């Protein structure tokens, strides 16, 4: 029986406690380094934080752009950290990942990233981050479970960055009227994520 | 049907390169062994396995170099070496010492891992340096001076290069080089296997064919080689012929496995010095500045090269509206921030 379930992320539920980061570092395959990254989007204007795990793309840009064939996706759809004998720390993966996930460590010539706590999920346990998240921003389970928990949201795994469409193994929770997460890049001359929030506010949309 | 599939799947440029490499080695074997006069036919199996390994390694290497990201770094590496001249040569020398000779990045990954790796590496390098010239008939020993201080003559490529005393530390080391290499490889493999049996992180992700098989093969070669020595040195050749055949099978099996498995990194890894050069020379050049964080995050050359590579790979992260940035011009942190902003937008700033 396949021990893997699905991962659901709801950025808006994150309160920035960083318990996920502390727990992530405990994972055996992460060796003391948190692979989840929690960002404050615009601390001067909003308390919003973003916990970013690997979305485990179905056609991973990181693996395709790796010159050393060091990044592999397994039969369960998990995209792993780079293979130790092959990784040359060129940073192609870091710079090509649309989600900004891989962490390249030049001193050890290695790319490390969220592997959905493979040592745990491969034996039917939850990833560390989902185990400790107090708000359910990071949830690991079945579609039935998440639908029961969040009846007003639905999971989506289709993204668009500019012209590029990306399908992921990890789902993001969105309102029912959204079928695809569209992430716009900033206009030339626009300054910082804060100004993007401003432009949304100016356009009349409600914003936290 | 199946034959047609294989014919279509073959990379004919790589087949050509592999064939040229194999033919060159075959020619060198003939020339180096003086028209096979010095070729030891008892070692023919090893020689044929080596020829196959050379074909496989060159084939895979050639296919690997056709991948757009690999090809880009390969070409850039040579370009930068040519343009950088003396600075590039200094950087290249440093990279060779740190990445290929000392491999100190593995030490930083872990001391035990480093000890295991260096024991295996030095043992295999020593064994290869002795075995291949012997197998190819390039190296053999002839009787030198007789008398109270007898000598051996070392013949390499048909030329006498040195005369060594039959008794002495030097000749002992040469004639026992493979024994020494066994004593390096076996503890190295033992440490590596111990790590793989006790480290929970390794246990979770390791694969038998990728991670354990190479260690088992190296152990089989080193241990059977050591038993051969024990047999002829201490047991009057007891069980020698069976052991010799088993040893040959392990070596030939490893040579055949080499192009396909983990051991291929031996040939891939040296290419990393081109990337070291790329990064070092670009550090002082123009950097790409993220429009979200306003911080420089990568050499401009790399972000531009990556755009081209991704385009070749049929990824298109260019903006779908005029006046907006290409996704590759945004730093990883900036991307995470924009994703957060985008999600906030669809959620209208609330959560449910």
């Amino acid at each position: 029986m396949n021990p893997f379930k699905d991962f659901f992320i709801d950025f808006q539920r994150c309160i920035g406690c960083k318990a996920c980061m502390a727990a992530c570092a405990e994972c055996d395959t992460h060796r003391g380094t948190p692979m989840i990254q929690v960002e404050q989007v615009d601390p001067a204007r909003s308390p919003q934080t973003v916990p970013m795990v690997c979305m485990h793309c179905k056609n991973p840009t990181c693996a395709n752009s790796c010159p050393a064939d060091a990044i592999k996706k397994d039969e369960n759809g998990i995209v792993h950290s780079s293979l130790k004998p092959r990784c040359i720390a060129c940073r192609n993966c870091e710079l090509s990942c649309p989600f900004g996930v891989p962490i390249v460590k030049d001193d050890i010539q290695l790319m490390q990233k969220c592997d959905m706590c493979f040592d745990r999920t491969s034996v039917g346990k939850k990833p560390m981050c989902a185990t400790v998240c107090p708000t359910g921003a990071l949830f690991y389970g079945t579609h039935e479970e998440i639908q029961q928990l969040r009846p007003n949201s639905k999971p989506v795994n289709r993204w668009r960055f500019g012209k590029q469409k990306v399908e992921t193994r990890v789902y993001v929770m969105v309102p029912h009227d959204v079928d695809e997460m569209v992430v716009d890049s900033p206009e030339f001359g626009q300054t910082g994520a804060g100004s993007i929030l401003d432009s949304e506010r100016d356009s009349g949309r409600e914003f936290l | 049907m199946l034959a047609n599939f294989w014919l279509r799947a073959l990379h004919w440029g790589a087949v050509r390169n592999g064939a040229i490499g194999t033919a060159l080695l075959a020619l060198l074997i003939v020339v180096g062994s003086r028209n096979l006069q010095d070729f030891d036919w008892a070692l023919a199996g090893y020689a044929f396995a080596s020829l196959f390994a050379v074909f496989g390694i060159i084939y895979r290497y050639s296919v690997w170099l056709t991948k757009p990201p690999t090809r880009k770094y390969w070409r850039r590496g040579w370009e930068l070496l040519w343009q950088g001249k003396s600075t590039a040569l200094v950087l290249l020398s440093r990279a060779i010492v740190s990445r290929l000779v000392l491999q100190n990045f593995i030490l930083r990954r872990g001391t035990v891992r480093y000890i295991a790796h260096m024991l295996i590496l030095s043992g295999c390098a020593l064994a290869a340096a002795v075995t291949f010239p012997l197998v190819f008939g390039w190296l053999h020993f002839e009787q030198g001076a007789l008398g109270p201080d007898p000598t051996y003559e070392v013949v390499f490529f048909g030329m006498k290069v040195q005369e060594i005393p039959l008794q002495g530390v030097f000749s002992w080391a040469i004639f026992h080089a493979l024994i020494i290499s066994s004593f390096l490889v076996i503890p190295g493999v033992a440490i590596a296997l111990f790590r793989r049996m006790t480290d929970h992180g390794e246990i979770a992700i390791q694969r038998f064919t990728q991670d354990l098989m190479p260690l088992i093969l190296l152990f089989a070669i080193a241990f059977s080689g050591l038993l051969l020595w024990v047999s002829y040195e201490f047991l009057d050749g007891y069980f020698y012929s069976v052991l010799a055949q088993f040893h040959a099978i392990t070596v030939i099996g490893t040579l055949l496995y080499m192009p396909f498995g983990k051991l291929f990194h031996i040939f891939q890894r040296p290419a990393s010095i081109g990337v070291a050069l790329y990064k070092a020379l670009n550090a002082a050049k123009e950097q790409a500045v993220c429009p979200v964080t306003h911080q420089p995050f990568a050499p401009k050359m790399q972000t531009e090269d990556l755009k081209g590579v991704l385009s070749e790979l049929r990824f298109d992260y260019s903006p779908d509206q005029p006046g907006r940035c290409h996704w590759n011009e945004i730093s990883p942190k900036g991307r995470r921030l924009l994703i957060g902003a985008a999600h906030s937008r669809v959620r209208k700033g609330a959560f449910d």
Side-chain angles (χ1 to χ4, degrees), chain A residues 138-158:
Chain A
L138 307 163
F139 181 82
Y140 185 77
T142 63
H143 279 260
E144 290 74 28
E145 285 170 336
I146 195 77
Q147 271 161 17
Q148 209 169 19
L149 277 171
R150 317 267 168 78
N152 298 325
S153 302
K154 75 170 182 186
V156 156
N157 68 341
R158 286 185 295 277

Side-chain angles (χ1 to χ4, degrees), chain A residues 10-13 28-29 31 37 39-41 48 50 52 59 61 64-69 74-75 84-92 94-100 106-109 118-119 150 152-153 160-164 166 172-173 175 181-183 185-188 190-193 196-197 200 205 207-208, chain B residues 60 64 67 69-70 73 99 105 108-109 113 195 199-202 204-205 207 210 261-262 265 268-269 272 275 279 291-292 294 297-299 302-303 306 310 313-321 323-330 332-333 335-352:
Chain A
D10 194 340
F11 300 112
Q12 288 300 109
R13 295 182 80 93
D28 282 328
T29 51
R31 302 180 186 282
Q37 300 175 75
E39 303 288 354
Q40 287 187 283
V41 177
Q48 190 196 346
V50 187
M52 186 56 75
N59 181 24
T61 316
N64 280 283
S65 67
C66 176
D69 277 340
D74 70 19
E75 61 277 13
K84 294 179 189 79
R86 292 195 193 171
C87 184
I88 52 178
C90 68
R91 292 188 69 207
N92 264 15
E94 188 182 289
L95 297 174
S96 66
C97 169
F99 300 97
D106 201 40
D107 59 335
I108 57 171
Q109 293 280 292
F118 192 77
D119 58 323
R150 317 267 168 78
N152 298 325
S153 302
R160 189 154 54 79
F161 302 91
K163 293 177 183 165
Q164 182 62 45
V166 175
V172 61
M173 300 305 292
M181 271 293 294
V182 179
V183 189
S185 54
E187 289 173 25
F188 287 116
Q190 204 170 22
T191 52
I196 296 160
L197 306 188
E200 294 306 324
R205 292 185 203 175
F207 205 89
L208 187 66
Chain B
R60 185 167 169 192
W64 177 56
K67 278 192 67 179
T70 321
Y73 273 121
R99 293 195 182 205
F105 63 94
R108 290 190 285 268
R109 287 179 187 176
R113 179 196 291 273
R195 269 195 70 248
D199 186 304
H200 292 177
E202 297 291 357
I205 54 172
R207 299 284 172 109
Q210 279 298 315
K262 184 178 189 173
H265 80 271
Q268 248 180 341
R269 195 84 215 171
S272 75
V275 173
K279 288 171 85 170
V292 178
H294 304 290
F297 66 96
Q302 188 170 10
T303 57
L306 200 52
L310 290 178
L313 293 166
R314 299 187 180 179
F315 286 97
D316 186 2
Y317 285 100
S318 60
D320 55 356
Q321 296 168 48
R324 289 188 180 267
C325 304
H326 193 287
W327 198 248
N328 289 114
E329 289 165 357
I330 303 165
K333 184 185 174 81
R335 293 172 199 183
R336 296 193 293 270
L337 295 177
L338 290 172
I339 287 167
H343 190 253
S344 184
R345 204 153 54 231
V346 300
R347 278 286 197 205
K348 297 185 172 59
F351 69 86
D352 194 1

Side-chain angles (χ1 to χ4, degrees), chain A residues 108-127:
Chain A
I108 57 171
Q109 293 280 292
L110 203 61
M111 180 277 278
Q112 287 183 288
K113 61 180 275 300
C114 156
D115 57 359
M116 217 189 270
C117 289
F118 192 77
D119 58 323
R120 295 174 58 81
T121 48
S122 60
V123 292
K125 294 180 182 173
K126 289 181 179 183

Side-chain angles (χ1 to χ4, degrees), chain B residues 4-5 62 99 143 207 216 225 259 265 314:
Chain B
N4 276 345
F5 169 77
S62 302
R99 293 195 182 205
Q143 184 183 295
R207 299 284 172 109
I216 293 168
H265 80 271
R314 299 187 180 179

